[in-house]
Amino acid sequence: VSPELREAVILRDLQGLEYSEIREVLQVPEGTVKSRINRGRIELARLLGQMGVGPQ
Amino acid sequence: MGWNCLNIEERLTEYLDGHLAGAERTEFEAHVATCAGCTALVADVRGLVAGLGRMEPVVEPSGLLLRILEQTSGVPKRKGEKSWWATLAPLLSPRVAIGMATVTTTMVIVFQAAGINPKKISLADLSPLEMARSVNRQAHLTYARGSKFVNDLRVVYEISSRLQEANANRSAPVEPERRKPASPQTERQLKNDLLQKGTSLIAAAGLAGLPGEER
């Protein structure tokens, strides 16, 4: 997972920030924030699926 | 026009975070209900998000950064170079000792003002908000106690002056003119004295913080 997608997912799902807060932190438009979180989550879920780690 | 799998992938995060409403939400769910691939995707990502949310933050072991720096920068380990005494020595310098004493004194004063018993201290006691609230409460209690004291004194004084009056009327009914003008003077004097004492007591109580109040 690329660093941009990774940091977006970390901020959203581990740090629990809202989209608007992530937009402030990363200094990118909110649409970009949403799509990065989206792609990051999907890629991470696929990677975990490949590694044989199912949803907990 | 129904949604396809690409739409689902694009809007998945919004859906899971509850930002998809109305017709869009209906379309989303309608497609997922008919598509096995999308059902699996939604379940996977939902599980991932829930799992990430349950994760505990990792706390790095102390000294990790130093060990990494030592091993990556090629600086030889300095283990054993310094004795434990050499490490502790700076702590024994007068400046540190005075600093520690000051900190301890401050803590004692703050604890007393906040009504915290250092023997039964809990983490909640140490939060600044709790501390401020407690000091504030203590100040109000002290003030209330002080003003109650003054009021009590007033009652006592009232009673004693009534008794005095009664005694004076009984013992010296012959010369009331001479007693009367003297009376208000001493009365005021006594009242002022009492009030002054009361106020200084309040001030003293405020300074001392009056520990021992039930919290």
Side-chain angles (χ1 to χ4, degrees), chain B residues 3 23 26 101 108 148 158 176:
Chain B
W3 282 22
T26 318
V108 167
K148 185 175 177 295
E158 192 77 29

Side-chain angles (χ1 to χ4, degrees), chain B residues 7-198:
Chain B
N7 296 136
I8 299 301
E9 239 189 77
E10 276 171 0
R11 312 300 294 272
L12 181 53
T13 276
E14 283 174 86
Y15 174 73
L16 289 178
D17 288 351
H19 293 299
L20 217 55
E24 290 188 318
R25 192 179 181 86
T26 318
E27 292 280 2
F28 188 101
E29 284 169 347
H31 174 85
V32 171
T34 59
C35 174
C38 285
T39 305
L41 179 70
V42 172
D44 280 356
V45 175
R46 181 178 275 145
L48 170 82
V49 172
L52 289 176
R54 282 197 304 268
M55 276 185 176
E56 298 288 324
V58 176
V59 180
E60 77 271 15
S62 64
L64 177 68
L65 191 64
L66 276 180
R67 286 205 301 278
I68 292 175
L69 281 175
E70 270 175 3
Q71 288 177 19
T72 53
S73 62
V75 178
K77 277 187 187 173
R78 283 179 308 185
K79 230 180 191 175
E81 206 174 81
K82 265 183 172 182
S83 71
W84 64 271
W85 175 246
T87 323
L88 278 184
L91 289 180
L92 297 174
S93 78
R95 206 191 292 169
V96 174
I98 290 171
M100 297 256 282
T102 315
V103 168
T104 316
T105 317
T106 313
M107 298 262 289
V108 167
I109 292 170
V110 169
F111 280 4
Q112 209 163 49
I116 295 173
N117 182 352
K119 284 178 188 160
K120 285 189 283 183
I121 202 157
S122 76
L123 203 58
D125 286 337
L126 291 179
S127 89
L129 188 67
E130 190 57 39
M131 207 92 135
R133 202 179 285 150
S134 163
V135 169
N136 190 15
R137 184 172 168 272
Q138 201 72 9
H140 279 103
L141 281 174
T142 309
Y143 180 78
R145 227 179 299 133
S147 49
K148 185 175 177 295
F149 181 77
V150 173
N151 282 336
D152 287 352
L153 278 184
R154 277 187 186 144
V155 172
V156 170
Y157 164 70
E158 192 77 29
I159 293 171
S160 76
S161 73
R162 289 276 164 79
L163 283 175
Q164 248 176 6
E165 246 172 67
N167 281 341
N169 285 344
R170 202 173 42 192
S171 65
V174 222
E175 34 177 17
E177 291 87 0
R178 227 203 275 169
R179 285 199 61 86
K180 272 280 162 72
S183 186
Q185 185 73 30
T186 44
E187 204 171 289
R188 189 157 300 132
Q189 183 85 37
L190 187 55
K191 199 167 189 176
N192 279 344
D193 271 336
L194 285 172
L195 279 176
Q196 253 168 20
K197 263 182 205 153

